[in-house]
Amino acid sequence: MHLPPLTVRRHDDKNRALITPAGEIDLQTAPLVRASLEQCLRDGIRTIDVDLSLLTFCDCSGLNAFLHASQRTTAAGGTLRLHHPPPALVVLVDIADCAFLLLGLPFGQVPLRPGNAPTAPPPVPSRGPVPLLRVLLGGAV
């Protein structure tokens, strides 16, 4: 028996919806996520919570779908929040610096996860910005 790569369930409670995708979000399945989130707005839902605890993979296509939905939801006067993102999505959100849009964090605050305890911000380099590759590789470049 072949399971579909993604299923999306929706549970409404008055004007709030809980969306639970299970499986993988990639270029092929991201349109299903986008359509599910847009349907919430068409149905008058303005508070959308997305539980990602059953997600096994999410690439930049999924992040794009969530960012698009967040923008549309905000424009409609609502909120969209991601809950329990998988580690790969947390990395994408960190790189894109968009946690404040999707995770309900203040701008610039990195989501806490194991090994990511609050510390003082790193010193600003005196010779201009650090190349992104150096930051991603921990200064090894």
Side-chain angles (χ1 to χ4, degrees), residues 43-62:
D43 293 343
I45 302 290
R46 294 299 178 259
T47 303
I48 304 171
D49 294 298
V50 184
D51 178 5
L52 301 174
S53 60
L54 299 177
L55 206 61
T56 57
F57 177 78
C58 184
D59 68 5
C60 58
S61 302

Side-chain angles (χ1 to χ4, degrees), residues 76-137:
T79 59
L80 179 138
R81 293 290 175 254
L82 303 183
H83 303 277
H84 313 291
L89 183 57
V90 171
V91 170
L92 288 175
V93 168
D94 285 349
I95 291 170
D97 199 22
C98 60
F100 69 101
L101 292 172
L102 299 173
L103 303 177
L105 299 171
F107 180 76
Q109 181 178 337
V110 176
L112 293 179
R113 57 190 183 281
N116 186 18
T119 60
V124 177
S126 60
R127 292 180 281 169
V130 175
L132 180 59
L133 184 57
R134 181 180 298 165
V135 171
L136 294 176
L137 297 177

